[in-house]
Amino acid sequence: MKKAAIAVCEKDADYVRSLLNYILEIKENDLEVFGFSKEEEYLRAREKKKFDILLFGEGFFQKSEDYRHTDHAIYLSEGMVYPKEESLPVLYKYQPADSLIRGIYQCMGNVIYRQESQKNFLKDKEMVVIYSPSSQKLQTPFSLATAEALSARKKVLYLNFSICRGFCKCAGIEKKMDMGDLFYLIREGETEFLSKLQGSIYTLGAFSVIPPPENPEHYMEWTGEEVNCFFSWLLKKTDYEVLIVDMGCMIPGFFQILEQCRWIWLLGERENKRDFGIEEMRGLFQKRNEKLNQKVKEIFLSGEQISGEEMYRVEELYVGEMGNCVRELLEEVDQLGDRMDTESYFRRDEFGRGK
């Protein structure tokens, strides 16, 4: 896939250098980025190089006004937006770098992902579904610790399907887009979905996150086909190697998702007590598809408790009792032998079209 070329034009050379280093570290596979602290340098470079996106700061252009006629220009503001820049997309200069990058994707996503649909990343993908029939309150901390542990060796995307559990507040995420926005974009088609996808992805610990919809009624509005498209495009059209699905509720297409994942981890609270929820789930699996029970691992959590008012500190989860549980589980999983190839489970007639 051809990388999108971005010209960052800002008089503050230190700011340009820091932003370039961050983008190159985080988005080197998607973006080709060039920095300029002087107008003359940019104008000379433009004669030899075509830039897809122009990100320019306040007062950068003094001699040339061609930027106003550039198709994909973004104004980098320090707080004021002057009349001649009012018609342009605006991003504020002093914000976290990851927020700035999400803003770039949101403004110019179609440019960045115009060739994404031609790329197929399906090979060697894995998906793990974590679900608690009894709504185990440690399900999300456990899922986050799992994502952090796997991110040491894989590129991980964590998906949260919870209902009014305060996830974004506990995770310290100030979101502008979430799962609900993405499902609306599914109805606009694959290209539109992929073009805006990065705008809804946030960083937590060493992995990426798509937060749940703010309005839980969205779950009821989704169709099984839309859910299937969502997971299909994430698996086939992104370079994430592992999807961690924190399944806080049964969404449309629930069993089709389970049929395509590598592992189903069912959480309970006390190992020495019967968990009727897990027993009922296994019964459903037996009726629906007996092979689902072969993917199930029952996990019983106890010990440290995390209240809904406490922040999720991923690094602390990873090094604490929760992390120990995850590491033991992953070691056990690794010892089970040959890994399941997601591609062999990816049946287009079921998963791609939502049958």
Side-chain angles (χ1 to χ4, degrees):
M1 181 182 69
K2 179 183 176 183
K3 296 181 181 180
I6 298 182
V8 179
C9 300
E10 164 58 43
K11 292 186 294 185
D12 185 341
D14 291 335
Y15 179 90
V16 172
R17 188 180 305 108
S18 297
L19 181 59
L20 261 62
N21 288 339
Y22 184 85
I23 293 176
L24 289 172
E25 179 181 356
I26 302 299
K27 295 294 180 184
E28 63 176 348
N29 294 327
D30 298 334
L31 307 177
E32 187 180 14
V33 60
F34 302 83
F36 306 95
S37 58
K38 296 180 180 179
E39 182 180 6
E40 296 80 4
E41 295 175 350
Y42 166 73
L43 294 176
R44 286 197 299 270
R46 191 184 61 176
E47 295 177 358
K48 301 178 180 179
K49 175 73 177 178
K50 177 176 172 26
F51 296 105
D52 297 299
I53 297 171
L54 169 63
L55 181 67
F56 69 97
E58 194 172 299
F60 182 84
F61 289 104
Q62 300 293 328
K63 301 177 181 179
S64 172
E65 293 192 354
D66 289 349
Y67 68 90
R68 287 196 284 175
H69 306 294
T70 302
D71 290 338
H72 305 293
I74 303 174
Y75 178 52
L76 193 60
S77 170
E78 296 184 20
M80 294 289 294
V81 179
Y82 298 97
K84 62 181 180 180
E85 278 86 33
E86 286 180 346
S87 62
L88 300 174
V90 176
L91 294 175
Y92 291 95
K93 177 179 177 179
Y94 299 111
Q95 61 177 308
D98 59 339
S99 298
L100 187 63
I101 292 175
R102 279 196 302 274
I104 293 173
Y105 277 96
Q106 289 171 358
C107 292
M108 302 300 168
N110 285 318
V111 177
I112 294 172
Y113 276 97
R114 61 183 177 271
Q115 296 181 0
E116 184 71 10
S117 61
Q118 300 175 14
K119 188 77 172 179
N120 193 320
F121 292 97
L122 182 59
K123 188 177 181 181
D124 296 330
K125 294 300 184 71
E126 295 179 358
M127 184 161 64
V128 179
V129 174
I130 301 173
Y131 180 69
S132 172
S134 58
S135 300
Q136 226 277 16
K137 62 183 177 180
L138 294 181
Q139 176 177 324
T140 290
F142 176 82
S143 301
L144 294 174
T146 300
E148 182 72 8
L150 287 172
S151 65
R153 45 183 168 170
K154 300 283 187 178
K155 186 173 183 179
V156 175
L157 177 62
Y158 166 88
L159 307 169
N160 184 287
F161 292 90
S162 61
I163 298 177
C164 297
R165 299 298 295 267
F167 173 77
C168 286
K169 289 185 178 179
C170 290
I173 293 175
E174 296 182 6
K175 65 177 181 179
K176 293 184 179 180
M177 289 182 64
D178 59 27
M179 199 92 68
D181 299 298
L182 287 179
F183 271 84
Y184 173 80
L185 292 169
I186 287 174
R187 299 165 190 173
E188 302 296 314
E190 179 183 309
T191 301
E192 191 67 19
F193 173 86
L194 292 174
S195 73
K196 299 296 194 302
L197 174 62
Q198 289 294 330
S200 65
I201 294 178
Y202 301 80
T203 300
L204 185 62
F207 54 93
S208 298
V209 171
I210 297 180
E214 184 175 3
N215 181 1
E217 289 184 333
H218 286 168
Y219 291 127
M220 296 182 287
E221 297 170 357
W222 300 346
T223 67
E225 183 175 0
E226 289 170 345
V227 172
N228 290 339
C229 283
F230 177 75
F231 282 96
S232 172
W233 292 342
L234 289 180
L235 287 167
K236 296 176 70 175
K237 302 298 182 181
T238 74
D239 61 350
Y240 289 104
E241 298 169 283
V242 179
L243 302 186
I244 299 295
V245 184
D246 185 355
M247 194 66 78
C249 62
M250 283 192 177
I251 62 175
F254 177 79
F255 286 101
Q256 289 173 300
I257 296 169
L258 298 185
E259 287 166 359
Q260 307 308 320
C261 72
R262 183 186 180 194
W263 298 110
I264 304 167
W265 293 349
L266 298 180
L267 304 189
E269 288 199 22
R270 297 176 61 183
E271 192 170 7
N272 59 353
K273 181 180 178 181
R274 290 179 65 184
D275 191 309
F276 294 107
I278 290 180
E279 289 182 12
E280 190 168 341
M281 283 299 301
R282 282 191 172 275
L284 284 173
F285 293 167
Q286 187 68 26
K287 293 178 182 179
R288 172 81 187 198
N289 183 343
E290 61 182 13
K291 291 183 179 180
L292 291 177
N293 275 318
Q294 298 174 13
K295 304 180 182 185
V296 169
K297 173 67 179 175
E298 296 179 15
I299 302 165
F300 296 90
L301 300 175
S302 61
E304 61 183 40
Q305 302 292 309
I306 297 179
S307 69
E309 299 178 354
E310 194 168 341
M311 298 291 289
Y312 296 140
R313 297 178 176 85
V314 176
E315 294 80 4
E316 293 181 12
L317 291 173
Y318 178 65
V319 300
E321 182 180 346
M322 187 75 68
N324 291 335
C325 176
V326 169
R327 284 187 288 274
E328 290 175 5
L329 175 62
L330 293 178
E331 288 177 6
E332 181 180 343
V333 167
D334 287 341
Q335 292 172 1
L336 290 179
D338 298 335
R339 60 182 261 151
M340 298 180 186
D341 188 344
T342 305
E343 192 163 13
S344 68
Y345 281 81
F346 197 98
R347 296 186 293 277
R348 184 177 178 183
D349 59 330
E350 291 185 2
F351 201 68
R353 295 191 299 223
K355 290 187 177 180

